[in-house]
Amino acid sequence: MAFSVLHFLYCSMILSPFVTFSVVAQTKANIVIGDSHTAGSSSSPWLVSSPSGDFAFGFLPQDATPDQFILCIWYAKIQEKTIVWFASRDYPAPKGSKVEITADDGLLLTAPNGDQLWKSEVTVRASSAVFNDTGNFVLQDGGSNSVWESFKDYRDTLLPSQTMEKGQKLSSKLRRDDFKPGKFELFFQNDGNLVLHSINLPSKYANKNYFETGTIESDTLSAGKQLMFDRSGGLYVLRENNQKHNFSEGGSGVSVSTTEFYLRATLNFDGVFTFYQHPKGSSSGSGSWTPLWSEPGNICKDNLAEAGSGVCGYNSICNLGDDRRPICNCPKWYSLVDPNDPNGSCKPDFVQSCAEDELTKGKDVYEFEVLTDTDWPLSDYVLQKPFTEELCKQSCMEDCMCSVAVFRLGDSCWKKKLPLSNGRIDPTLNGAKTFMKVRKDNTSLVVPPIIEHKNNRNTMIVVGSVLLGSSACLNLVLLAAICLSTSYVFRYKKKLISVGKVETTVETNLRCFTYEELQEATSGFDKVLGKGAFGIVYEGVVNMGSVTRVAVKKLNSFLLEEVQKEFKNELNVIGLTHHKNLVRLLGFCETEQERLLVYEYMSNGTLASLLFNVLDEKPSWKLRLQIANGVARGLLYLHEECSTQIIHCDIKPQNILLDDYYNARISDFGLAKLLNMNQSKTNTAIRGTKGYVALEWFKNMPITTKVDVYSYGVLLLEIVSCRKSVDFEAEDEQKAILTEWAYDCYTEGVIHDLVENDQEALDDKKTLEKLVMIALWCVQEDPGLRPTMRNVTQMLEGVVEVQVPPCPSQISVQYSLV
Ligand code: ATP
Ligand code: MG
């Protein structure tokens, strides 16, 4: 190494792990061009300490990722890791990164691959550097003039003898251990006022100040000139007329000793600017940072971001802690969007949407969680006054836009909408009652994945058509819901991937459960949802970041041998499919004796129960059309849009499930391959269900996606008529086979018979006719005549006209064979 080493500083190894990083520090009188240090190189640690040894400059490993380093300045003699300056906000430096003193770029930080991570901008060529006892690292020119110094490259902390000029600012970290730029700034405005405000990232739009020194005077002489942190520990704004304006009321009465204490003022990641002291001199470096004063007085109340989330994230509630720092909490039945960011936004653990409310009208879905003195002051959309508490609750309950109602002042009712911003507990609200609308059935918590990357176009068309057909107000809510769901899906996906990485042996985003986990999740396989050809399905609840209701399918043990080989390969394929009309496979479990599949729980049952429940009224025509479209889109995805083509082989109303929004979601796709079903042509190997299978299964013909098209045709006729494909109890024999009866109705011009007295369908005769014609094309005996699912969706959407279908012919043959 090129520098002259004055002495080595040995710190006790028995101190905290942090102190062990500074095992060897060098005090440097002068650091010269070309000096360098590599992150993580234990043989030659280049930890420069200031002459007194109080500060060190070098690489510190990050707590969470010890292979990543921060180039920074910290207190070298105390146990508590306290960084006062750091080089790059954007990237931590991977092990092997190098910092070098260069003439042209000053301090230059490069990654092991040579990429430049950060550099100090020098005004003039640098020729040496010094590290002062104040904690200031200074680059100098040949005449020992400063060309760059850490004291002028502001981060989040000020130290004694540091000053700040107009136009400069401190900027908080993003989180406690995340050095990226955060959302709070201490800004010395050009008008002399020193202010605190939050910014909206990434644009940095500044919200209203939540603290000001007010050093802006009409008389320019008394306006602020400089922020001073003097050597004796005073922190104040120096006015143009050289008078001092104490930064904080609290600060004026505090006397501090810089000989006995380290002092620092830090803009914390949560927006509070705090002045701290720490005892010097203890050989063990013990003691802690004590806040002497801080601003603002009550950040939860003082900060009101008119165009941002406020101190905490959206839907969160800010409560002031003893140290005047905010504590952010999610309301009950809400959880953190990012579990690693306690000050971040909260999302409801349940679904609330006008679209769903319309469908579930009459059902008592919500209840109120009552909070006191809690408010989101800028999230109102309506004020009702005079109003009673009872009316206030009722009007929120019946209003699908309403998420919270605040009743206050004896006669005023503010209704509020999501996302809620600036949430706070404020005792001065004097007994305000806050009614939060939450779902009664708090276990139906999962927001179904709505939007899939690959299908953005399709989704946008759907969104577009939904939006065109609804009111402007409803549109906003729908858009918000869609945006929320989209981001949720992203996060959810991410969460799944990360969970999967830790726990699964399969390289996929599926979670690998242990048998015990699923046993516990289903309370010992207690509640049976249903039984199918391949096993029993149980209801359960698992924790996937938030409480998630699931359906667990326990595959019959006689299948095990067949399943064994291909199980994980096939799971990988299924695990990669994401579409809003498919039931997501969330995970699996594999033991010697058992194979289990864990699916999203579908709260509204099967299409079979919706269509064929004779006791209920027929579901609305509109809903049935929506379901028919959904199934077609799901199938199109399986056939053409996912990475590996999947032929379902068992499309029937029992395998179409309905989610919280009554979206059609195809289940059991991929099972045909997963269960190693030989898609051959023998009767025993028929994967499918009587009444829905195409003739290829019985003939010596290849099995293609057209078998699903056939089944879809049958399903479509069932959706139209709300009756089963085969009904030997039908009063008229002619009607026993739905496909045949449908063709008869079509040719005889009595399509209306198919829907009986379903007025909605009769009023929409054109669509009715179109659906029947599409279905008849789908059930053609000759697979070559059947459309593809893409054609089907185009016909459904009206992009392509439907031609007159020929007679499907020989349709009945299959029933005699099965
Ligand atoms: P097949 O074996 O041909 O698929 P099936 O669909 O009737 O026939 P299963 O798939 O085993 O049989 O499902 C049995 C029942 O379990 C379904 O009818 C449905 O009521 C319920 N079920 C299945 N998956 C879910 C799910 N993800 N959410 C809620 N209920 C489900
Ligand atoms: Mg099924």
Side-chain angles (χ1 to χ4, degrees):
M1 255 192 279
F3 14 61
S4 60
V5 178
L6 290 183
H7 71 262
F8 288 98
L9 212 163
Y10 291 94
C11 293
S12 164
M13 295 293 285
I14 50 166
L15 299 184
S16 75
F18 158 67
V19 179
T20 60
F21 301 134
S22 44
V23 172
V24 184
Q26 306 163 16
T27 306
K28 306 268 313 150
N30 203 4
I31 304 155
V32 297
I33 299 298
D35 284 356
S36 70
H37 176 58
T38 305
S41 72
S42 50
S43 56
S44 61
W46 186 61
L47 300 177
V48 190
S49 86
S50 62
S52 65
D54 285 340
F55 292 96
F57 176 58
F59 288 106
L60 273 186
Q62 282 198 315
D63 287 340
T65 44
D67 260 8
Q68 302 285 323
F69 292 78
I70 305 290
L71 178 64
C72 58
I73 296 171
W74 68 94
Y75 288 96
K77 287 183 177 172
I78 63 173
Q79 278 192 30
E80 194 176 334
K81 174 171 160 181
T82 312
I83 292 173
V84 294
W85 180 89
F86 43 94
S88 169
R89 280 187 175 275
D90 298 325
Y91 311 99
K95 191 174 178 175
S97 298
K98 193 171 86 170
V99 60
E100 192 179 356
I101 314 274
T102 66
D104 292 332
D105 295 321
L107 279 166
L108 181 63
L109 176 61
T110 45
N113 64 2
D115 283 356
Q116 183 179 306
L117 296 176
W118 174 84
K119 68 177 179 188
S120 61
E121 302 289 343
V122 285
T123 42
V124 188
R125 277 170 69 89
S127 58
S128 65
V130 286
F131 190 25
N132 293 325
D133 263 339
T134 52
N136 191 14
F137 191 93
V138 186
L139 293 170
Q140 299 174 327
D141 64 10
S144 294
N145 302 307
S146 157
V147 294
W148 176 90
E149 47 193 289
S150 60
F151 267 21
K152 293 242 151 47
D153 199 0
Y154 301 90
R155 296 295 184 263
D156 64 350
T157 294
L158 291 174
L159 294 175
S161 82
Q162 195 170 0
T163 59
M164 212 160 93
E165 314 293 325
K166 288 181 196 172
Q168 293 175 328
K169 58 188 166 193
L170 297 188
S171 153
S172 69
K173 292 190 292 190
L174 187 60
R175 296 183 199 164
R176 200 179 297 276
D177 295 312
D178 191 334
F179 291 81
K180 289 193 209 61
K183 66 173 188 179
F184 299 97
E185 288 180 345
L186 173 77
F187 183 42
F188 199 1
Q189 291 178 181
N190 286 327
D191 61 6
N193 203 5
L194 186 70
V195 305
L196 284 166
H197 58 217
S198 65
I199 53 171
N200 295 346
L201 293 168
S203 69
K204 299 201 172 164
Y205 172 81
N207 291 298
K208 220 174 97 202
N209 300 330
Y210 58 92
F211 169 82
E212 299 184 344
T213 54
T215 42
I216 162 177
E217 238 70 38
S218 45
D219 163 12
T220 46
L221 283 180
S222 55
K225 178 171 72 176
Q226 205 177 27
L227 174 66
M228 305 286 290
F229 196 164
D230 66 28
R231 281 171 194 275
S232 50
L235 182 61
Y236 52 86
V237 175
L238 189 67
R239 296 179 189 270
E240 293 287 349
N241 59 14
N242 287 334
Q243 284 181 351
K244 296 177 183 176
H245 173 94
N246 275 322
F247 185 95
S248 158
E249 287 301 310
S252 55
V254 178
S255 75
V256 279
S257 153
T258 42
T259 46
E260 286 172 46
F261 292 97
Y262 293 119
L263 302 175
R264 71 182 164 100
T266 299
L267 176 58
N268 290 296
F269 74 98
D270 53 24
V272 179
F273 184 63
T274 309
F275 189 96
Y276 294 95
Q277 69 172 25
H278 188 294
K280 283 185 182 177
S282 138
S283 58
S284 65
S286 62
S288 60
W289 289 103
T290 314
L292 294 183
W293 55 262
S294 66
E295 289 294 351
N298 180 346
I299 193 168
C300 296
K301 269 187 76 177
D302 298 340
N303 181 315
L304 194 65
E306 72 286 6
S309 70
V311 182
C312 305
Y314 290 104
N315 302 328
S316 185
I317 304 169
C318 180
N319 194 5
L320 201 64
D322 291 339
D323 54 357
R324 302 224 288 195
R325 302 275 296 274
I327 300 166
C328 300
N329 283 309
C330 292
K332 203 170 169 192
W333 308 130
Y334 281 66
S335 57
L336 288 172
V337 168
D338 176 354
N340 298 317
D341 182 12
N343 288 36
S345 295
C346 309
K347 60 180 167 48
D349 290 332
F350 54 92
V351 176
Q352 187 194 337
S353 80
C354 287
E356 195 205 25
D357 281 13
E358 199 185 331
L359 290 164
T360 55
K361 210 176 259 164
K363 282 195 201 163
D364 204 4
V365 198
Y366 303 105
E367 62 187 358
F368 284 120
E369 181 71 25
V370 186
L371 308 167
T372 322
D373 291 337
T374 306
D375 198 13
W376 289 271
L378 297 183
S379 303
D380 313 322
Y381 65 91
V382 70
L383 167 63
Q384 298 293 357
K385 181 180 170 169
F387 234 36
T388 62
E389 185 179 318
E390 233 9 76
L391 278 174
C392 185
K393 283 164 70 177
Q394 187 188 338
S395 99
C396 181
M397 186 58 82
E398 289 172 358
D399 180 351
C400 67
M401 317 262 170
C402 181
S403 288
V404 171
V406 173
F407 187 73
R408 207 153 74 77
L409 307 173
D411 69 346
S412 305
C413 172
W414 283 268
K415 289 204 286 182
K416 296 169 190 284
K417 59 186 177 347
L418 296 184
L420 302 157
S421 62
N422 296 286
R424 75 270 307 277
I425 293 179
D426 178 3
T428 62
L429 290 173
N430 290 327
K433 272 197 183 162
T434 303
F435 301 101
M436 281 212 88
K437 203 159 140 189
V438 295
R439 220 179 158 98
K440 256 189 181 166
D441 173 7
N442 56 49
T443 51
S444 99
L445 304 176
V446 191
V447 181
I450 290 209
I451 291 175
E452 165 59 27
H453 274 327
K454 224 171 154 185
N455 288 332
N456 268 351
R457 226 195 88 252
N458 285 356
T459 313
M460 291 323 290
I461 293 169
V462 181
V463 171
S465 53
V466 171
L467 293 184
L468 282 173
S470 54
S471 76
C473 241
L474 189 59
N475 285 349
L476 281 177
V477 176
L478 280 172
L479 263 181
I482 287 159
C483 291
L484 268 175
S485 316
T486 315
S487 60
Y488 178 87
V489 171
F490 263 103
R491 283 187 296 270
Y492 187 59
K493 249 170 145 174
K494 243 167 71 185
K495 215 182 289 169
L496 277 178
I497 288 165
S498 64
V499 169
K501 274 217 170 112
V502 180
E503 299 181 25
T504 178
T505 51
V506 180
E507 267 310 307
T508 175
N509 52 359
L510 296 175
R511 175 160 161 194
C512 174
F513 291 92
T514 63
Y515 188 76
E516 290 67 35
E517 270 177 307
L518 293 184
Q519 201 161 24
E520 195 187 323
T522 56
S523 308
F525 300 102
D526 182 38
K527 192 166 169 203
V528 174
L529 285 170
K531 212 169 172 178
F534 307 104
I536 303 179
V537 181
Y538 301 90
E539 187 179 332
V541 180
V542 297
N543 194 340
M544 315 254 320
S546 64
V547 185
T548 305
R549 213 166 161 193
V550 290
V552 179
K553 188 169 203 164
K554 208 174 185 185
L555 297 175
N556 288 333
S557 50
F558 68 79
L559 292 166
L560 278 182
E561 224 164 81
E562 288 187 68
V563 166
Q564 204 130 27
K565 239 183 14 216
E566 298 294 328
F567 191 69
K568 281 187 181 163
N569 286 345
E570 289 309 325
L571 277 181
N572 278 341
V573 174
I574 302 176
L576 289 173
T577 53
H578 302 290
H579 190 271
K580 69 170 189 156
N581 296 112
L582 302 182
V583 176
R584 275 280 295 277
L585 180 67
L586 301 177
F588 66 97
C589 166
E590 190 181 23
T591 70
E592 292 252 309
Q593 282 86 35
E594 307 278 358
R595 299 282 187 285
L596 297 102
L597 301 171
V598 181
Y599 290 100
E600 283 180 282
Y601 179 82
M602 295 290 116
S603 57
N604 282 308
T606 66
L607 176 60
S609 59
L610 184 83
L611 291 178
F612 309 139
N613 204 334
V614 281
L615 296 176
D616 282 354
E617 258 181 52
K618 281 185 186 175
S620 81
W621 178 241
K622 203 171 125 199
L623 177 61
R624 274 144 64 204
L625 292 183
Q626 185 189 309
I627 291 171
N629 281 318
V631 179
R633 266 186 241 115
L635 274 177
L636 169 62
Y637 173 82
L638 289 175
H639 289 178
E640 292 186 27
E641 291 170 350
C642 62
S643 54
T644 312
Q645 185 183 67
I646 295 178
I647 308 176
H648 190 294
C649 297
D650 197 11
I651 288 293
K652 60 177 179 178
Q654 288 79 2
N655 277 340
I656 309 300
L657 303 180
L658 300 165
D659 68 16
D660 294 344
Y661 300 111
Y662 282 81
N663 283 318
R665 308 277 291 268
I666 301 174
S667 77
D668 289 341
F669 55 89
L671 270 197
K673 275 199 95 187
L674 178 68
L675 299 178
N676 211 10
M677 287 290 149
N678 176 9
Q679 292 175 352
S680 76
K681 301 91 210 167
T682 60
N683 267 2
T684 48
I686 289 173
R687 166 81 177 112
T689 304
K690 188 172 130 182
Y692 301 89
V693 291
L695 274 179
E696 299 86 292
W697 292 104
F698 312 102
K699 295 186 168 184
N700 192 21
M701 287 168 80
I703 299 301
T704 67
T705 51
K706 293 293 181 72
V707 298
D708 286 345
V709 177
Y710 181 91
S711 308
Y712 178 80
V714 180
L715 186 87
L716 191 52
L717 290 175
E718 292 183 315
I719 292 174
V720 166
S721 61
C722 291
R723 59 147 276 189
K724 290 182 183 161
S725 63
V726 186
D727 181 5
F728 290 117
E729 272 144 45
E731 73 273 27
D732 184 348
E733 216 178 277
Q734 300 276 301
K735 296 183 181 175
I737 308 296
L738 181 58
T739 44
E740 287 182 10
W741 180 41
Y743 187 68
D744 292 345
C745 291
Y746 176 70
T747 48
E748 287 159 25
V750 288
I751 283 187
H752 51 266
D753 278 1
L754 284 172
V755 293
E756 280 184 325
N757 35 27
D758 181 345
Q759 199 51 48
E760 271 183 298
L762 293 171
D763 290 345
D764 190 12
K765 224 168 160 193
K766 262 197 156 161
T767 311
L768 170 64
E769 190 178 25
K770 182 171 82 178
L771 294 197
V772 173
M773 288 165 75
I774 296 172
L776 292 173
W777 274 110
C778 292
V779 297
Q780 291 295 315
E781 183 193 323
D782 176 358
L785 283 179
R786 290 174 216 152
T788 61
M789 283 316 296
R790 184 171 296 284
N791 299 147
V792 171
T793 53
Q794 285 167 337
M795 289 189 278
L796 287 170
E797 281 164 17
V799 183
V800 170
E801 216 177 295
V802 192
Q803 306 295 318
V804 174
C807 174
S809 85
Q810 293 182 41
I811 301 167
S812 58
V813 174
Q814 58 187 296
Y815 299 108
S816 54
L817 281 170
V818 177

